Amino acid sequence: MKNQEEIDLLNDLVHITNDRIKGFAKVEGKIWESYPDVKSEYARMNSLSKVMKNELIDLITENGREANDSPSVAGTLHRTWIDIKNSFTIGNTEESTIENVIFGEKAAIDAYQNAIDTGTLSEKSREIVSEQLKHIKDSYHEFKGKSNYKE
């Protein structure tokens, strides 16, 4: 890796990926009754997110750097807000949960696209980040489709 800016971008993506993993853990079991067909997609994306995190950490450690393997402050605040909001929601929280997943996936897409657009990533990093972005977009469209289906 050429510079600290690339390491910082990759660490940001590790934070985002940790946010996704923690977010998916919060979804588990909350929406299966209304959205039973989401369960397999959730399990696939949760598993894939863990692989993605390891790929990002490997990119960082291959260059003698230490990854900052924690969720972001913004992600932690967002999950707390979701908990508070859901505690006051009357009725169907499943739709709200799906909307929160969509919001989180959109934020991840924006962060990944920004990392690519900076032009800072090495060729290897850009290839891996681009492939991960494709998976996140697939997840976004899957959950967005479920939300649109219920409307």
Side-chain angles (χ1 to χ4, degrees):
M1 296 202 182
K2 299 174 190 164
N3 59 42
Q4 186 61 42
E5 187 178 351
E6 181 175 9
I7 298 294
D8 292 344
L9 282 172
L10 292 173
N11 270 317
D12 288 347
L13 297 180
V14 170
H15 294 312
I16 295 287
T17 304
N18 278 329
D19 289 341
R20 291 180 76 232
I21 292 167
K22 289 191 173 294
F24 282 135
K26 284 196 143 315
V27 170
E28 189 169 13
K30 291 184 179 182
I31 60 172
W32 304 153
E33 190 173 312
S34 296
Y35 299 89
D37 50 338
V38 172
K39 190 173 187 175
S40 63
E41 178 65 11
Y42 157 80
R44 188 182 74 76
M45 287 310 303
N46 192 30
S47 176
L48 184 57
S49 293
K50 293 173 184 174
V51 170
M52 291 166 54
K53 173 181 136 176
N54 289 333
E55 289 175 342
L56 293 168
I57 289 172
D58 287 348
L59 286 171
I60 295 167
T61 58
E62 283 173 4
N63 291 281
R65 305 291 178 95
E66 188 172 325
N68 186 344
D69 186 15
S70 64
S72 71
V73 172
T76 301
L77 292 172
H78 178 67
R79 285 185 300 280
T80 301
W81 165 244
I82 290 168
D83 288 342
I84 292 168
K85 186 172 97 174
N86 284 344
S87 71
F88 290 105
T89 300
I90 298 173
N92 188 348
T93 61
E94 291 91 351
E95 288 179 25
S96 176
T97 299
I98 287 284
E99 290 169 9
N100 289 323
V101 170
I102 293 166
F103 177 85
E105 292 298 78
K106 179 68 173 115
I109 288 169
D110 292 345
Y112 269 72
Q113 190 62 60
N114 179 59
I116 293 167
D117 290 347
T118 65
T120 303
L121 298 176
S122 67
E123 183 177 340
K124 180 179 181 179
S125 295
R126 188 176 54 256
E127 287 174 10
I128 290 171
V129 169
S130 294
E131 183 64 24
Q132 290 184 1
L133 175 59
K134 180 190 173 307
H135 293 303
I136 296 168
K137 285 180 176 179
D138 290 346
S139 173
Y140 171 81
H141 291 299
E142 176 75 21
F143 286 104
K144 184 75 172 159
K146 300 303 179 203
S147 175
N148 291 340
Y149 176 75
K150 280 290 187 182
E151 292 175 355

